[in-house]
Amino acid sequence: MGDHGHHHTHVHGHDGHDDHGHERGAQGQPGGTSRRALLGAAAGGMLFMAAAPGSARAATTGTAATGSSAAQAAGGASRASLITQGTTLVHADLHNHTAMSDGDGDPALAFASMRSAGLDVAALTDHSGVFTIGGLSSSEWKRTATLADAANVPGVYTAIRGFEWTHALLGHANVWFSDSYVDMSLAPGMGAFFDWLDDKEAVAGFNHPGREELRFNEFRHHAAVHDRMVSLEMFNRTDDYLFEGWSSGMSSPLVTCLNAGWRTGLTGVTDEHGTDWGFPEGKGRSGLWVTENTRAGVLEAMRARRFFATRVSGLRLDATAAGVRMGGQLPLTSGDVRFRVDLDRGAEWTGKPLNIQVLRPGSAAPDVVDVITTTAGRISEFTVPLDTADGNWVVLRVSDPAQANGSPGPAGHACNDWGVAYSSPWWLQG
């Protein structure tokens, strides 16, 4: 880990956040009983019970499940940032499967399940076929669009059709907002996939990076789709991918991807293959800061990398560096950068001790140049010296110091504790 200059930290308490938390077991730990809801009819005006370990709470679901009503249904913090204006937080799961590929569930139930779970944005991304058993057919691709269109309620709930390009050795990549899909018959390698993507208006992301051994040809950069590759999964199911493959001698996928020149935001996903889409606690999900909860609004936020990865429900994370929001560019060669972080999860996490780790490029693992101690439910402000000579990106990782990382990196590394969330990166532009 690199040395760092002095920083000054100020942690401010605040009032005014919604207290709609549900109990999820001790300190929100992963695993245990899932927040399986007692689903009632999805018709407007019906009641459903959002059940969680030790609690049950009723909420009305009409045609609108936005703002505080959705926050109450899902638990957690309110959707308004305390440090920026003009956008609203939406909770999203952008990676899900059904029986149309290798999942177990009826695709007709998936979007309703995710909406009932309190998600605001959901995507179905079944595998494309050829070398994938049970991959999408053209009729199933059309059916995915029909199901998404039927579930989509602009301003309330955004349902998206996508697919997962699948290569057993190179890796898997999700594609969203495309009118067509591609499989290995037409895109058998990374170059062919990127050539196909370059011809579309779609956006895409690197899935569970490092699970497949060639790791997208070690994330070799492809300039033509630089802007279209918008995401890197840091949480997939219950796993933190920061040190994926480290025990086998591999470098951090985060470091390898960003050092290769990609400008991906960071996401969490459930990669759900079961039948309880949206409900299990402890699986990945994403928070997007949108100007409106519509397909156009979600696509704009994805293109701007204005989102974060987490694996706890109801989390609000907003962050600025020198006034620039996560996912943006810092007009800086070197100097002190002031960060502001709004971190909240509602009443049940108020006062919970957390760390904010400042990640910078390393050769194999990220350098942690600062660790700021804070508590949930507060705004944290701190200053960190940054220099493009040390690399052009910076990421904030929120962690729970009381729990261990199930996939640790180098001995003594500051990120060997349990990851709660990742901001999308900032990029320094000297």
Side-chain angles (χ1 to χ4, degrees), residues 4-367:
H4 58 84
H6 295 294
H7 72 274
H8 301 284
T9 304
H10 302 283
V11 181
H12 301 285
H14 64 82
D15 296 317
H17 59 264
D18 288 352
D19 294 334
H20 295 312
H22 293 320
E23 305 240 338
R24 291 180 187 82
Q27 300 299 318
Q29 292 185 35
T33 308
S34 70
R35 289 188 309 117
R36 183 62 194 170
L38 308 174
L39 294 178
M46 297 296 287
L47 288 175
F48 71 91
M49 300 294 292
S55 72
R57 184 175 305 210
T60 9
T61 70
T63 51
T66 57
S68 61
S69 63
Q72 182 169 354
S78 68
R79 310 302 186 89
S81 173
L82 299 181
I83 61 174
T84 61
Q85 296 180 331
T87 59
T88 301
L89 171 64
V90 292
H91 298 300
D93 188 358
L94 298 171
H95 187 167
N96 290 278
H97 296 275
T98 73
M100 288 192 291
S101 60
D102 60 345
D104 295 330
D106 180 350
L109 303 178
F111 283 117
S113 178
M114 287 186 274
R115 182 173 176 181
S116 295
L119 289 170
D120 308 294
V121 178
L124 288 187
T125 54
D126 278 302
H127 296 275
S128 57
V130 181
F131 297 116
T132 305
I133 297 173
L136 282 168
S137 65
S138 58
S139 62
E140 288 168 332
W141 175 244
K142 293 176 182 176
R143 186 185 182 201
T144 307
T146 300
L147 293 172
D149 289 345
N152 192 60
V153 183
V156 175
Y157 181 65
T158 299
I160 301 167
R161 173 177 71 166
F163 72 92
E164 186 173 16
W165 177 80
T166 306
H167 192 292
L169 294 177
L170 287 169
H172 301 182
N174 269 358
V175 178
W176 306 274
F177 300 105
S178 171
D179 290 332
S180 60
Y181 73 97
V182 72
D183 56 33
M184 286 183 57
S185 65
L186 295 177
M190 293 310 303
F193 172 72
F194 288 145
D195 288 344
W196 176 88
L197 182 63
D198 184 34
D199 193 39
K200 308 298 174 189
E201 292 303 313
V203 293
F206 297 110
N207 294 354
H208 37 74
R211 198 182 77 183
E212 288 75 35
E213 61 181 307
L214 298 184
R215 303 202 304 180
F216 310 101
N217 285 331
E218 287 302 290
F219 292 98
R220 185 181 306 152
H221 190 251
H222 194 92
V225 293
H226 177 80
D227 293 330
R228 296 199 187 282
M229 296 302 295
V230 299
S231 67
L232 177 76
E233 290 181 356
M234 291 306 295
F235 297 120
N236 180 287
R237 303 180 189 175
T238 60
D239 298 322
D240 185 337
Y241 271 75
L242 180 63
F243 296 121
E244 175 68 19
W246 185 269
S247 61
S248 302
M250 304 296 288
S251 60
S252 163
L254 174 70
V255 169
T256 307
C257 177
L258 298 184
N259 285 359
W262 294 108
R263 295 203 170 181
T264 58
L266 303 182
T267 58
V269 300
T270 68
D271 196 358
E272 188 58 60
H273 284 70
T275 60
D276 57 351
W277 304 270
F279 284 97
E281 186 62 40
K283 291 187 177 181
R285 58 187 66 214
S286 299
L288 284 74
W289 290 97
V290 299
T291 56
E292 60 180 20
N293 188 11
T294 63
R295 288 173 177 170
V298 168
L299 178 57
E300 186 275 331
M302 293 176 73
R303 284 176 169 160
R305 283 66 163 169
R306 203 168 54 243
F307 50 82
F308 62 88
T310 185
R311 52 179 165 181
V312 294
S313 63
L315 187 78
R316 184 181 73 237
L317 173 63
D318 194 14
T320 61
V324 177
R325 292 183 88 173
M326 66 177 92
Q329 298 181 7
L330 298 178
L332 177 78
T333 301
S334 66
D336 288 347
V337 174
R338 188 71 170 171
F339 288 84
R340 301 187 76 208
V341 179
D342 173 18
L343 180 60
D344 198 1
R345 201 191 173 208
E348 79 175 274
W349 268 33
T350 299
K352 178 180 174 62
L354 297 169
N355 286 339
I356 301 172
Q357 299 151 346
V358 183
L359 311 189
R360 295 281 282 135
S363 58
D367 286 337

